[in-house]
Structures are given as C-alpha cells and as structure tokens.
C-alpha cells in the first residue's frame, strides 16, 4: 500500500515538477507501449519490410517486442520507484532505454529514404546517450 | 567523405543493434569511470561555492538538531 502511494506521489512529482526524469518516464513508457504494439500486430515487420529489415535480420519481431517490454518496464520501474534506487541500477535503466532508442533510430536511418520519424528517433537517441553521460551519483 | 569513413558509417547503419550496444556500453563505462575518479579525488578539488553550500547544509542540520533537542527538553519539564 505504501509503495503504491509512493509510486503515485512520484508520478505526481514527475508530471508537476518535470525534472529530467520526465524524459526517462516518457521513453520507458513509450518502449513498453511499442513492445505491446509489436506483440499485438505480429506481422508488422514483414508488412513494412523496407523500414524494419535491419531489425528483422537480427531477431524476429516477437523477440524485439520482449526486449522493448523488458527495457521499458525496467526503466519505468526505476523512474517510478518512490525511493532513489542505487546509482548502478539507475544507470542500467538509462542504458537499456538508450539501447532501444538507438537501435530504432539507426534502423530507421539505414533505410533509403529514411522515414520522417527517423530524425525524431535520432534526436531522442542522442539525448538518451547524453542522459547516460550526465547521470549523477547523488542526483 | 572518404571511402573508409563511408564504409564505417554504412556498417554502423546496417548493424543498428551492434552500434547501439557499443555506444551505450561506452557511455555507461565512461560514466562509471568518472564516478570512480570523482570518488578517488574526493573533496580535494571542491570549489568555493561547493564548500560554502556544504558548510551551510551542515550548519542547518546542526541547528535543526539543536532545536529538536531544545524542544524535547521543554516537553520533559513539569
């Protein structure tokens, strides 16, 4: 019960005060949703083969979905945890989300002509790498 | 762009998962090394502002502690 209240309080703090953690929250929630989306529409990669070919070549769609769900879920858990988690756990959460973003951005940019969302993902990926570099032990 | 750089950029784009993993690991390891380096250096390179802020926090904590003790003493009086 206390943990639930703590999570609600933390969510309110993130939405109200909007510190840098809002980026972590948005990206983690986004990848969790994208993972679920990939599971809901299992033929997405084959239908848009031109865009998702580099990702499909590495793993099939379901595996990517579970990776996104795992990384997004872990990031969400860390950012919403009422007490500040250990530095290494926070760093790992940001690394996981940055890995997803960067994979997605590079995948989109590798197709010719890159889709418009590729630019957005590229910018977000740069920011996610920056968030790893700037994470503070006491922050 | 010369051919080697072009080939490298092309490889990075063709293998998004490897490039992403590499970049993320490099950034993470760099951050961990920075934290270790900061711990090793300790407070040696503390700036004046940081010193003043730290002392301010310590004094405020001391004052708060003293006030709590004072209130506690008064509660025990008949």
């Amino acid at each position: 019960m206390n943990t639930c209240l703590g999570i609600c309080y933390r969510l309110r703090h993130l939405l109200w005060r909007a510190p840098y953690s809002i980026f972590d929250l948005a990206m983690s929630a986004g990848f969790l949703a994208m993972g679920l989306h990939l599971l809901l529409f299992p033929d997405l990669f084959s239908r848009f083969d031109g865009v998702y070919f580099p990702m499909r070549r590495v793993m099939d769609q379901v595996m990517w979905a579970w990776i996104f769900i795992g990384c997004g879920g872990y990031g969400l858990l860390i950012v919403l945890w009422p007490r500040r988690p250990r530095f290494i756990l926070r760093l790992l959460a940001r690394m996981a989300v940055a890995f997803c973003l960067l994979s997605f951005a590079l995948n989109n940019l590798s197709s010719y002509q890159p889709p418009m969302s590729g630019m957005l993902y590229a910018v977000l990926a740069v920011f996610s790498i920056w968030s790893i570099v700037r994470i503070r032990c006491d922050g | 762009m010369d051919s080697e750089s072009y080939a490298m950029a092309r490889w990075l784009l063709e293998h998004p998962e490897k490039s992403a993993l590499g970049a993320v690991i490099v950034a993470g390891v760099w951050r961990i090394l920075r934290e270790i380096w900061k711990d090793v250096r300790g407070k040696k390179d503390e700036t004046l502002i940081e010193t003043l802020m730290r002392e301010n926090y310590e004094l405020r904590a001391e004052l708060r502690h003293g006030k709590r003790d004072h209130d506690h003493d008064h509660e025990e009086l008949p």
Side-chain angles (χ1 to χ4, degrees):
Chain A
M1 186 62 190
N2 277 342
T3 309
C4 281
L5 279 176
I7 286 175
C8 290
Y9 178 78
R10 177 83 178 133
L11 188 63
R12 196 189 68 173
H13 171 78
L14 286 177
L15 295 175
W16 189 248
R17 301 283 302 275
Y20 198 75
S21 310
I22 194 80
F23 179 78
D24 294 336
L25 177 70
M27 292 303 111
S28 306
F31 273 101
L32 189 63
M34 277 164 72
L36 293 172
H37 182 83
L38 286 179
L39 284 183
L40 272 175
F41 302 99
D43 60 338
L44 208 68
F45 275 16
S46 48
R47 269 179 60 199
F48 300 102
D49 197 32
V51 179
Y52 298 119
F53 176 69
M55 285 174 85
R56 199 163 71 96
R57 200 180 44 194
V58 181
M59 275 179 279
D60 66 341
Q61 188 180 324
V62 177
M63 279 303 291
W64 277 110
W66 284 114
I67 285 178
F68 285 175
I69 288 173
C71 293
Y74 176 63
L76 209 57
L77 188 73
I78 291 292
V79 79
L80 287 178
W81 200 248
R83 287 183 186 173
R84 188 173 64 192
R86 290 177 62 189
F87 170 70
I88 194 75
L89 296 179
R90 287 185 288 128
L91 181 69
L92 279 176
R94 282 194 173 176
M95 284 171 73
V97 172
F99 166 72
C100 293
L101 260 175
L102 208 54
S103 304
F104 213 73
L106 289 173
N107 172 80
N108 279 12
L109 291 177
S110 65
S111 60
Y112 189 79
Q113 302 164 343
M116 228 162 59
S117 59
M119 279 297 125
L120 176 67
Y121 284 118
V123 171
L124 291 176
V126 169
F127 271 88
S128 70
I129 292 287
W130 183 246
S131 78
I132 296 175
V133 171
R134 292 303 301 163
I135 190 170
R136 287 173 64 97
C137 199
D138 56 345
Chain B
M1 195 187 283
D2 59 339
S3 60
E4 277 183 19
S5 309
Y6 179 74
M8 195 173 166
R10 197 185 158 127
W11 187 89
L12 286 173
L13 285 174
E14 278 175 356
H15 301 87
E17 77 296 342
K18 289 187 187 118
S19 318
L21 199 61
V24 164
I25 287 173
V26 167
V29 167
W30 187 81
R31 187 66 248 181
I32 289 171
L33 289 178
R34 275 292 301 270
E35 287 299 324
I36 292 170
W37 177 240
K38 227 170 19 178
D39 280 350
V40 168
R41 277 197 334 199
K43 292 174 184 167
K44 208 166 61 181
D45 294 335
E46 202 176 42
T47 62
L48 178 65
I49 297 291
E50 283 167 349
T51 311
L52 288 173
M53 281 178 71
R54 183 174 51 80
E55 284 176 2
N56 185 26
Y57 281 132
E58 283 169 6
L59 282 171
R60 282 170 65 183
E62 203 176 309
L63 197 68
R64 209 178 301 130
H65 189 70
K67 191 174 178 299
R68 201 181 302 136
D69 285 350
H70 180 261
D71 292 347
H72 186 67
D73 289 347
H74 275 273
E75 277 171 13
E76 284 178 355
L77 286 175

